[in-house]
Amino acid sequence: MRGLNPVLVVLLAVSGAAEAQVRTVEVRAPRAFGYVLGDLVRAQADIVVDAGFTLQRASLPQAGSLAYWLDLRDLRVEDSVAGDARRVRIFLTYQNFYAALDARALEIPGFAVTFESASAHGATTTTAQVPAWQFTISPLREVVPPARENPADYMRPDGRVAAVDVQPLWWRAGGVAALALLAFGALARDRAWGPFRARRGRPFGAALASLRRLARRPDADAAYGDALRALHRGLDATDGRRVLADDLPGFLARHPACRPDAAGLRDLLAASRLAFFGPGPAAARAALPWPQLEALARRLAAAERAA
């Protein structure tokens, strides 16, 4: 008991033949009074048996309703060996639902648990009886409160809540929003989104933006010719020199990110030859339709960003 300071201790002495098997049974509770409706009531049952015996857990009480006013909410077991004995400690948590009108003592029922010792000659069982114990419950309110002229006097006033200064919270929220906006701007610049599509160093991004604007023009042939020029400017700006059909192998060698689109670039240069040195933009559009041209620009812009 030292160090636990139990308010309630119930000791069950054992005698006769069982004394050699079940040595002691104790029930301990933190306190025996001060409980009201809805409180959790905790107890601890300590059982000491001979070292050869083990607890049969199927014999433990099951969580659930024990009476109309009492539930067993939780049960936990700790098992340890101390010298020539085994100590089994059962932690019990009950909940009280008794609505008392006056202070009174209530009894929590006891229960029995079984221990078994198995050997080559068979099994021996013994039973430890955990005794019932009592606690005192108090009412939540007076049975007959003092008479009041005004019924509102029976009500307690609302509690006061301290005012919260929200200014620091607004400052913090603004700071976080500003950091998020800066981070998004940096990401947009890196990925060439929105206004950063045509930024310096992303010529294919600028060409893709031009193609999307040109797609809305009513003159399809003129728009297609300008789209070819935009992609040519992207090639020239990327390589830092004028890129013609014969220069494509060198361009791909200097810009490995564009190598997966080698076939598309050859089709682009072939369409340019048809548009500017052949039958005209209509023939070029037949050889390389606008959707394929825009898809090529999109892939080149993505490769440019990834590089």
Side-chain angles (χ1 to χ4, degrees), residues 10-14 23-27 128-131:
V10 179
L11 174 62
L12 176 67
V14 294
R23 300 187 180 183
T24 60
V25 179
E26 290 180 302
V27 177
Q129 182 66 41
V130 177

Side-chain angles (χ1 to χ4, degrees), residues 58 60 71-72 90 108 110 149 163 187 234 259 283-284 301:
L60 291 168
D71 283 1
L72 176 58
I90 306 173
I108 291 185
E149 293 184 3
L187 178 64
R259 288 176 188 171

Side-chain angles (χ1 to χ4, degrees), residues 134-167:
Q134 292 185 338
F135 67 97
T136 302
I137 184 172
S138 302
L140 286 173
R141 60 176 181 82
E142 299 169 299
V143 177
V144 181
R148 310 268 183 179
E149 293 184 3
N150 185 0
D153 292 338
Y154 289 105
M155 301 178 64
R156 296 176 62 92
D158 293 337
R160 294 187 177 182
V161 180
V164 177
D165 184 7
V166 299
Q167 193 67 25

Side-chain angles (χ1 to χ4, degrees), residues 52-54 56 115-119 122-126:
F53 285 85
T54 58
Q56 299 298 296
F115 291 84
E116 182 182 30
S117 176
S119 66
T124 302
T125 61
T126 186

Side-chain angles (χ1 to χ4, degrees), residues 19-68:
E19 189 172 1
Q21 300 169 353
V22 180
R23 300 187 180 183
T24 60
V25 179
E26 290 180 302
V27 177
R28 306 184 180 201
R31 69 182 193 274
F33 55 87
Y35 295 99
V36 296
L37 173 67
D39 278 351
L40 296 179
V41 183
R42 292 181 172 85
Q44 169 187 317
D46 287 347
I47 306 172
V48 180
V49 298
D50 289 349
F53 285 85
T54 58
L55 174 67
Q56 299 298 296
R57 292 184 177 262
S59 66
L60 291 168
Q62 300 298 310
S65 176
L66 302 181
Y68 75 92

Side-chain angles (χ1 to χ4, degrees), residues 57-190:
R57 292 184 177 262
S59 66
L60 291 168
Q62 300 298 310
S65 176
L66 302 181
Y68 75 92
W69 59 271
L70 184 68
D71 283 1
L72 176 58
R73 294 288 301 275
D74 183 57
L75 183 145
R76 181 169 55 88
V77 178
E78 289 183 358
D79 196 339
S80 62
V81 176
D84 63 342
R86 178 182 297 276
R87 178 184 297 276
V88 175
R89 179 164 290 171
I90 306 173
F91 297 92
L92 302 151
T93 303
Y94 300 90
Q95 187 167 18
N96 163 58
F97 295 103
Y98 191 87
L101 297 179
D102 56 2
R104 64 179 57 202
L106 299 176
E107 183 177 272
I108 291 185
F111 56 90
V113 292
T114 303
F115 291 84
E116 182 182 30
S117 176
S119 66
H121 303 289
T124 302
T125 61
T126 186
T127 300
Q129 182 66 41
V130 177
W133 58 281
Q134 292 185 338
F135 67 97
T136 302
I137 184 172
S138 302
L140 286 173
R141 60 176 181 82
E142 299 169 299
V143 177
V144 181
R148 310 268 183 179
E149 293 184 3
N150 185 0
D153 292 338
Y154 289 105
M155 301 178 64
R156 296 176 62 92
D158 293 337
R160 294 187 177 182
V161 180
V164 177
D165 184 7
V166 299
Q167 193 67 25
L169 300 177
W170 281 112
W171 280 111
R172 293 193 195 111
V176 171
L179 290 175
L181 186 60
L182 288 174
F184 182 77
L187 178 64
R189 185 179 188 279
D190 178 72

Side-chain angles (χ1 to χ4, degrees), residues 196-213:
F196 300 105
R197 288 188 183 277
R199 72 179 180 87
R200 184 178 180 182
R202 295 287 174 86
F204 286 125
L208 178 60
S210 296
L211 260 67
R212 288 173 175 167
R213 289 193 300 271

